[in-house]
Amino acid sequence: GAGALPTQALRSMRKVCTLPTFRGYLEAVYDEKKGQEVIRFVEHVTGALSVWKMPKEGKQYVIGADVAEGLAKGDYSSADVLDKETGEQVAHWHGHIDPDLFGSDVLANLGWYFNGAEVAVERNNHGLTTIVALKNAGYTNLFRSVQVDERTNKERVKLGWLTTRQSKRILIDEIRQRVRERSVAVNAVETIDECLTFVRLSDGSTAAQEGCYDDRVISLGIALQALVHHPYTKPHKRRALPDNQPDLITGY
């Protein structure tokens, strides 16, 4: 099939892709001074986590996740961390892992490390297992989508992103528009390469061409959907009060 995403724009973006600044993994360790667990980054040459920009205090992030079965020779699980303000891909996780461990050991740590980022998980198939594991790990900032019950015609709020034939079109259209307008900055050349082999089939649907993968395309698209539904909001700064004027909130 023909490319489903703007080929020329993608090729231009590929030229400016860079190697990650850091590569490794995240682990939870007990900090005696703070008296609690903290998430730290451990550099390792074969780590599944690539980081271009470390989290900054006050920055807002979203994470999009595509969940695979976890088989060593099967599809990959993939997660993208985007800077809410700039739309830049600042980190990317990619590898084989069981769906429950993807939630508890990867996404939860990734979310906490990036300032409590909103985590959007594709809830199809094994994604439900990942969402449950995230909740059991104590992670609460999860993306919620509104779905209409076909029997009752009532709206229901559910955790995660459900990919259907209709919602996938919305997801791919958003990637297409942002690539064309350069309102997303992709640093991973592997993500661009999967976008270039993501094609439109004869029945109008989209998928990776034979022998290729699309997990990076889907995780990027889900992260962008989280941005669409919960865009960047500029932090509110309280005005300085004149001397001797009481604060209306505290009374002092």
Side-chain angles (χ1 to χ4, degrees):
L5 299 169
T7 302
Q8 289 302 116
L10 286 168
R11 287 176 177 165
S12 296
M13 291 172 68
R14 194 182 192 281
K15 293 177 182 178
V16 295
C17 287
T18 59
L19 293 173
T21 310
F22 306 97
R23 189 179 180 97
Y25 59 90
L26 297 174
E27 68 174 8
V29 295
Y30 186 78
D31 188 315
E32 292 185 358
K33 291 183 179 179
K34 295 183 178 180
Q36 62 183 26
E37 272 196 345
V38 297
I39 309 301
R40 72 174 185 180
F41 179 82
V42 180
E43 286 197 72
H44 197 283
V45 67
T46 62
L49 177 61
S50 299
V51 180
W52 286 265
K53 291 184 179 180
M54 287 292 183
K56 292 184 178 180
E57 185 178 354
K59 276 279 190 181
Q60 302 172 24
Y61 302 94
V62 294
I63 299 172
D66 179 45
V67 185
E69 190 175 354
L71 300 177
K73 294 184 179 180
D75 291 338
Y76 292 86
S77 288
S78 176
D80 279 295
V81 184
L82 302 185
D83 183 321
K84 257 191 170 187
E85 184 177 6
T86 64
E88 181 181 5
Q89 179 194 44
V90 295
H92 178 66
W93 190 97
H94 191 259
H96 290 118
I97 190 170
D98 290 339
D100 58 329
L101 297 179
F102 187 42
S104 62
D105 292 6
V106 175
L107 295 179
N109 288 349
L110 202 56
W112 280 315
Y113 193 68
F114 280 90
N115 300 346
E118 179 183 28
V119 179
V121 179
E122 185 182 38
R123 65 188 303 270
N124 302 56
N125 304 318
H126 304 284
L128 287 174
T129 301
T130 301
I131 290 172
V132 170
L134 265 166
K135 291 177 64 180
N136 290 341
Y139 202 86
T140 57
N141 191 12
L142 301 175
F143 176 82
R144 290 163 169 79
S145 57
V146 177
Q147 297 170 22
V148 178
D149 190 296
E150 294 182 356
R151 291 190 304 103
T152 63
N153 205 33
K154 292 183 179 180
E155 291 186 346
R156 298 179 62 187
V157 177
K158 292 191 175 183
L159 293 174
W161 166 270
L162 181 65
T163 300
T164 64
R165 189 177 179 89
Q166 181 179 2
S167 69
K168 189 175 182 181
R169 289 192 186 120
I170 295 171
L171 184 146
I172 299 305
D173 284 346
E174 184 67 25
I175 300 176
R176 184 184 299 113
Q177 180 178 340
R178 285 182 178 263
V179 166
R180 190 178 63 241
E181 296 175 352
R182 303 294 201 280
S183 58
V184 61
V186 178
N187 288 313
V189 68
E190 297 88 353
T191 299
I192 297 294
D193 286 343
E194 284 197 10
C195 287
L196 285 167
T197 56
F198 192 75
V199 298
R200 189 174 301 282
L201 305 178
S202 58
D203 63 357
S205 63
T206 52
Q209 70 183 42
E210 188 175 353
C212 299
Y213 295 95
D214 63 3
D215 43 85
R216 289 182 171 98
V217 178
I218 301 303
S219 63
L220 175 65
I222 293 173
L224 290 174
Q225 285 303 309
L227 275 183
V228 169
H229 288 86
H230 303 105
Y232 171 75
T233 54
K234 191 174 182 179
H236 176 69
K237 293 184 178 180
R238 293 173 63 184
R239 292 186 302 170
L241 295 171
D243 292 341
N244 302 322
Q245 180 174 331
D247 189 316
L248 296 179
I249 296 176
T250 64
Y252 295 98

